[in-house]
C-alpha cells in the first residue's frame, strides 16, 4: 500500500552511469547493475520502503516514516561499500558504483499508482545535487526523522531548479561513510536583499559606524526620519557583508507579523498549527546569519529579543523610526551625509526626474539644506523643473514653501514630533531657537526646571530630529537641522541674532509655545512643554 499524508521520498542513481557503462562494456556493466539493484532492494525490504519506479540505474521509493527512510539510505550506502564487486584488473582493483541519494519529506497522496506532487520533483532535484556516495536530504526530512545533530551536517539554503522558494539541504552522516564532499552543484541561496534600481550613493562613514557597532553587538538599530535613506544604507551595507555570514543575509519588512515576514524572506512555508516565528527560529537557531528588519517598530521588540536569545549566532540590523530599547542594543542614527554625498544624492533625484544637473550643479543647494536627505527629496522637484540656482533662490526667499509646505517633509517631521514625549518636544523647541545648537551643559542649564531633559535630548537624537556635531574631541554640540528648524519655528531671519543667547534668539511668541499647546494651523510643532 502506498504511503499517504506525510511521505518521505527517496531517489537514488549511480553517478556517471553513462560513462561507466561505455567504459565497462555491456556484459560487465550488466553484472554491476544487477548487483547494485539486488543490494538496494534487500535494504528497502527490511526498512519498509515501497518501490515506486525503477529505470536504468535509478530508484524512486516512498516511506511511511522518515526515520526508516534515513536508516535505509545509510544502510544502502553501507551495503554498497561492503559488497564484493567485479575486478577490472590488478591495477584498477574492484569496481564499486558510487550512488548518490536524495531524501525529502512532504505531504503527498497517491493517485493512479503513483504521486503527482511537487514534493517528488523536489526530491529528484535533491538527488541530482548529491555527489557519489553522498546522502543529501531536506532539513524537513531530517527534522521529521528526529535525527541527532551528530547525524546531520547542515549545508545551507539552495535554489532548486524549477521550484519556488529555498530548500535547506543537509548531509546525513554515519560511521564508515565518507563525510568530505564538494559543495552541492546547485545555486546557494545566501540572501534575500532586493535588487537596487540604481546604484546607491556611497556613505563609507556610516558603513564604518555599522561595522564598529556589530563588532561588539548582535543587535544594532538604525534610526532616522522617513525618507532619510536608512533602508538604502542598510541594504548597501548588508550586501557587502555577505561573505561574513555563511548562514545568509535576509531582508524583510517586519509588518504586523514578523514571523510570517521572516518565513517569506527565508523561502519557507508556515507549518500547520505552529506559530510562524517558531518555524523561523528553528531555521535560524544554528545559522551564522544576518537579518535586516526594515520598518520595525517597538511592537516587535519581544519577537526580536526572542530571536537573539534562541539563535546565538544571529545578528540583527533593525531599521526604523525609533530604537527598540532592548538589552545589549547598539543605537545608530543616520547622520547628515558629507557635502559630496549630499550633492550626489540630489543629482540622483534630479536624474530620476529627467533633469541634466550633476553633483557640481547641485552642491550649493545641497549645502543650503545641510544635506538633510528628506529636504533634498523635497526640493528635487523644483530643482528639476527649473534649476538648482532657481531652487536655491526660492529656498532663500521662502524656505517653508520651497520645502513643500505642509506636505512631504512637513508630514515626516509632524510624524516624528508626534511620536516623542512632552519633555522631548520642549527641548526640541528650545534647540530650534538656536541655529548653532547647544552643548549638553547649555541644554541642561536652559531646561533645568523641567524633569528628564537629558533623557529628552537622547530621545531627540534617537529619532534624528537633533544631530550631534563634534567640533572637538571633548565637545559635542546638539543641533536641529536647518530644514526641520524652518518648519518648526520659521526662517532664521525672523529671529533675533544669536548673541542674545539661547532664550533671546526666540521671537516673542516662540517662548509661549513652551507652555501652551502649539496650534496645528500655526507652527508645525505640536507640543506641550
Amino acid at each position: 500500500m502506498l504511503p499517504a499524508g506525510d511521505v518521505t521520498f527517496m531517489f537514488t542513481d549511480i553517478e556517471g552511469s553513462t560513462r561507466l557503462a561505455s567504459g565497462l562494456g555491456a556484459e560487465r556493466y550488466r553484472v554491476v547493475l544487477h548487483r547494485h539493484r539486488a543490494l538496494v532492494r534487500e535494504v528497502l525490504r527490511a526498512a519498509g520502503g515501497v518501490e515506486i519506479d525503477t529505470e536504468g540505474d535509478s530508484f524512486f521509493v516512498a516511506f511511511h516514516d522518515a526515520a526508516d527512510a534515513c536508516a535505509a539510505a545509510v544502510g544502502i550506502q553501507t551495503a554498497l561499500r561492503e559488497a564484493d564487486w567485479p575486478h577490472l584488473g590488478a591495477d584498477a582493483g574492484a569496481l564499486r558504483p558510487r550512488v548518490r541519494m536524495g531524501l525529502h519529506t512532504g505531504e503527498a497522496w497517491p493517485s493512479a499508482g503513483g504521486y503527482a506532487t511537487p514534493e517528488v520533483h523536489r526530491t529528484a532535484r535533491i538527488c541530482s545535487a548529491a555527489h557519489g556516495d553522498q546522502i543529501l536530504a531536506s532539513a524537513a526530512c531530517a527534522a521529521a526523522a528526529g535525527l541527532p545533530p551528530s547525524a546531520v551536517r547542515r549545508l545551507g539554503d539552495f535554489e532548486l531548479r524549477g521550484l519556488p522558494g529555498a530548500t535547506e539541504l543537509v548531509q546525513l552522516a554515519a560511521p564508515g561513510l565518507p563525510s568530505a564532499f564538494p559543495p552541492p552543484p546547485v545555486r546557494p541561496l545566501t540572501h534575500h536583499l532586493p535588487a537596487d534600481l540604481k546604484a546607491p550613493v556611497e556613505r563609507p562613514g556610516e558603513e564604518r559606524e555599522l561595522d564598529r557597532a556589530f563588532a561588539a553587538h548582535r543587535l544594532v538599530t538604525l534610526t532616522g526620519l522617513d525618507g532619510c535613506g536608512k533602508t538604502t544604507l542598510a541594504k548597501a551595507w548588508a550586501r557587502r557583508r555577505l561573505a561574513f555570514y555563511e548562514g545568509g543575509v535576509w531582508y524583510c519588512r517586519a509588518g504586523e507579523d514578523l514571523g510570517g515576514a521572516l518565513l517569506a524572506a527565508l523561502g519557507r512555508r508556515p507549518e500547520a498549527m505552529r506559530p510562524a516565528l517558531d518555524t523561523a527560529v528553528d531555521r535560524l537557531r544554528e545559522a551564522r546569519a544576518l537579518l535586516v528588519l526594515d520598518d520595525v517598530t517597538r511592537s516587535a521588540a519581544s519577537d526580536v529579543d526572542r530571536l537573539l536569545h534562541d539563535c546565538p549566532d544571529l545578528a540583527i540590523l533593525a531599521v526604523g523610526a525609533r530604537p527598540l530599547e532592548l538589552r545589549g542594543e547598539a543605537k545608530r542614527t543616520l547622520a547628515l551625509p558629507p557635502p559630496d554625498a549630499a550633492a550626489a544624492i540630489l543629482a540622483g533625484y534630479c536624474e530620476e526626474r529627467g533633469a541634466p544637473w550633476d553633483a557640481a550643479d547641485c552642491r550649493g543647494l545641497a549645502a543650503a539644506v545641510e544635506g538633510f536627505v528628506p529636504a533634498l527629496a523635497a526640493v528635487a522637484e523644483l530643482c528639476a523643473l527649473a534649476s538648482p540656482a532657481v531652487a536655491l533662490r526660492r529656498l532663500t526667499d521662502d524656505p517653508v514653501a520651497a520645502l513643500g509646505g505642509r506636505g512631504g517633509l512637513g508630514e515626516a517631521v509632524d510624524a516624528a514630533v508626534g511620536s516623542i514625549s512632552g519633555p522631548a518636544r520642549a527641548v526640541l523647541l528650545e534647540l530650534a531657537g538656536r541655529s548653532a545648537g547647544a552643548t549638553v551643559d547649555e541644554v541642561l542649564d536652559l531646561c533645568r526646571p523641567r524633569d528628564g531633559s537629558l533623557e529628552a535630548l537622547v530621545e531627540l537624537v534617537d529619532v534624528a530630529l537633533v544631530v550631534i556635531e563634534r567640533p572637538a574631541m571633548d565637545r559635542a554640540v546638539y543641533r536641529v537641522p536647518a530644514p526641520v528648524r524652518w518648519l518648526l519655528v520659521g526662517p532664521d531671519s525672523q529671529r533675533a541674532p544669536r548673541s542674545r543667547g539661547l532664550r533671546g534668539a526666540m521671537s516673542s511668541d516662540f517662548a509661549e509655545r513652551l507652555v501652551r499647546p502649539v496650534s496645528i494651523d500655526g507652527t508645525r510643532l505640536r507640543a506641550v512643554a
Side-chain angles (χ1 to χ4, degrees), residues 109-432:
W109 304 90
S111 174
Y115 296 90
T117 169
E119 310 302 345
V120 171
H121 298 287
R122 192 175 300 276
T123 313
R125 295 285 186 268
I126 293 173
C127 179
S128 66
H131 299 279
D133 292 340
Q134 186 180 33
I135 306 170
L136 285 188
S138 65
C141 174
L147 298 179
S150 60
V152 174
R153 178 189 172 196
R154 297 186 178 274
L155 303 180
D157 291 293
F158 294 85
E159 296 180 77
L160 301 180
R161 181 170 54 86
L163 295 170
T167 300
E168 184 182 2
L169 298 183
V170 302
Q171 176 184 303
L172 302 193
L177 298 185
S179 59
F181 295 96
V186 288
R187 180 181 177 183
L189 186 66
T190 58
H191 72 89
H192 195 261
L193 295 168
D196 292 317
L197 297 181
K198 65 175 185 178
V201 174
E202 293 189 4
R203 300 177 69 170
E206 299 292 335
E207 293 190 8
R208 284 194 295 270
E209 278 297 310
L210 291 177
D211 288 339
R212 281 194 286 269
F214 274 105
H217 299 269
R218 293 171 52 219
L219 170 64
V220 177
T221 51
L222 180 63
T223 58
L225 289 180
D226 288 346
C228 70
K230 305 184 298 294
T231 298
T232 299
L233 174 66
K235 292 191 297 184
W237 175 82
R239 198 175 297 279
R240 293 185 175 94
R241 301 287 293 182
L242 288 173
F244 295 88
Y245 297 97
E246 59 267 25
V249 175
W250 311 103
Y251 169 90
C252 72
R253 292 188 177 275
E256 298 294 327
D257 179 12
L258 178 57
L262 280 177
L263 288 185
L266 294 168
R268 299 303 175 85
R269 291 176 296 181
E271 299 177 85
M273 308 296 293
R274 192 177 189 213
L277 188 64
D278 290 355
T279 303
V281 166
D282 284 349
R283 161 62 185 86
L284 296 166
R285 193 183 305 276
E286 300 177 17
R288 177 173 169 76
L290 170 69
L291 293 183
V292 180
L293 305 181
D294 202 0
D295 288 339
V296 66
T297 64
R298 288 184 180 174
S299 63
S302 61
D303 289 343
V304 172
D305 192 46
R306 185 190 167 192
L307 284 165
L308 293 167
H309 182 270
D310 292 352
C311 307
D313 292 322
L314 182 67
I316 297 178
L317 175 59
V319 182
R322 308 192 71 179
L324 296 177
E325 302 297 348
L326 290 174
R327 183 179 180 182
E329 171 185 349
K331 300 188 291 186
R332 293 293 184 272
T333 303
L334 198 61
L336 298 177
D340 288 346
I345 292 171
L346 180 54
Y349 288 145
C350 292
E351 184 181 10
E352 290 175 4
R353 292 159 173 80
W357 316 117
D358 60 18
D361 300 321
C362 297
R363 191 179 302 276
L365 181 58
V369 296
E370 298 182 349
F372 191 63
V373 177
L376 295 175
V379 299
E381 198 70 46
L382 178 59
C383 185
L385 289 173
S387 70
V390 171
L392 182 57
R393 287 198 301 271
R394 291 290 303 274
L395 186 72
T396 303
D397 294 341
D398 190 346
V400 175
L403 291 173
R406 297 193 56 83
L409 175 59
E411 292 178 359
V413 172
D414 277 349
V417 170
S419 70
I420 61 178
S421 65
R425 297 179 192 180
V427 173
L428 177 63
L429 263 174
E430 297 281 10
L431 285 176

Side-chain angles (χ1 to χ4, degrees), residues 9-15 36 40 43-44 59 61 63 68-80 98-104 122-138 169-172 177 181:
F9 296 108
M10 172 194 289
F11 273 93
T12 79
D13 68 13
I14 297 175
E15 183 181 51
H36 156 260
V40 172
V43 175
L44 291 179
F59 278 85
V61 188
F63 292 82
D68 291 342
C70 293
V74 172
I76 290 171
Q77 293 287 19
T78 302
L80 291 171
R98 301 184 184 279
V99 173
R100 53 189 182 182
M101 311 182 72
L103 300 169
H104 174 59
R122 192 175 300 276
T123 313
R125 295 285 186 268
I126 293 173
C127 179
S128 66
H131 299 279
D133 292 340
Q134 186 180 33
I135 306 170
L136 285 188
S138 65
L169 298 183
V170 302
Q171 176 184 303
L172 302 193
L177 298 185
F181 295 96

